[in-house]
Amino acid sequence: MISAFLDTAEVASRLLRSPVLAERWEQPSALAEFRISGLAGHLARAVFNVERWLAELPPAGGKPIDAVAYFLSGAGPAPHLEDAVPRRIREVGEQEAAGGPATLVKEFAAARARLAVQLPTMPLDRPVGVFAHVLPLDQCLLTRLVELVVHLDDLAVSLEAPTPSVPTEATDLVIACLTRMAVVRHGVLPVMRILARRERATDSIAAF
């Protein structure tokens, strides 16, 4: 898990260094209402937040949950883009990117390097506060790995560039997490059919 997270963050670092990113910094991204700058900042938070959360004392009390439960904790109809949470996500992404692309890349690489030293010294069951939840470290990293892999694709599409390949371990972990989420949302049969029997697949099995 740790190596998959760090190696995928390195892939993200290479995309953040793309000259096209700097050229298109203020243009709209592939995500509605997100500028490319804000999307880049949001992607970077997948690493920044891990370092921030680990700097805090492990939360006392509270039953730890896994990555699937974390992502589904707010399950419901998709929020409107101007609702408070989506708007806040965009605002915070822009705040992370406020120093410009060169600064973002420098800060991202530095945070990743510090985590490469810190993470291997920590037990994977260490409790970590993740917003309003408590997750074991390995599940915390899985949530950020999902964010990295999904938003790498978003950012690459925004830049009209090929989506970078990430390590096999990372894709295996992310696909397993997304599949488990889809099963909770839609049931086993729709997921099985869309994966194995396209002639009987009728509905979307989107995890989010």
Side-chain angles (χ1 to χ4, degrees), residues 53-196:
W53 295 332
L54 291 179
E56 301 174 358
L57 291 175
K63 183 178 178 180
I65 61 174
D66 67 7
V68 172
Y70 165 81
F71 280 122
L72 294 177
S73 61
H80 189 275
L81 290 174
E82 290 305 319
D83 286 351
V85 172
R87 188 170 63 249
R88 179 60 180 162
I89 289 171
R90 296 194 300 272
E91 290 171 351
V92 173
E94 290 288 1
Q95 289 169 12
E96 297 284 13
T103 297
L104 183 66
V105 168
K106 181 179 178 180
E107 292 175 348
F108 185 87
R112 184 202 168 278
R114 290 190 295 267
L115 287 172
V117 175
Q118 183 182 17
L119 286 172
T121 70
M122 295 184 162
L124 290 177
D125 61 353
R126 178 196 189 277
V128 181
V130 179
F131 299 116
H133 304 283
V134 178
L135 281 74
L137 176 59
D138 65 337
Q139 295 299 297
C140 166
L141 293 179
L142 179 53
T143 67
R144 298 312 97 185
L145 187 59
V146 170
E147 293 281 334
L148 281 172
V149 171
V150 170
H151 293 307
L152 264 173
D153 182 47
D154 291 332
L155 186 57
V157 171
S158 300
L159 300 178
E160 299 182 282
T163 298
S165 297
V166 300
T168 300
E169 181 187 3
T171 55
D172 287 349
L173 288 164
V174 169
I175 290 170
C177 181
L178 294 175
T179 301
R180 289 179 57 209
M181 291 168 59
V183 167
V184 173
R185 281 186 176 273
H186 306 287
V188 172
L189 196 56
V191 174
M192 184 275 289
R193 283 178 171 170
I194 210 163
L195 292 174

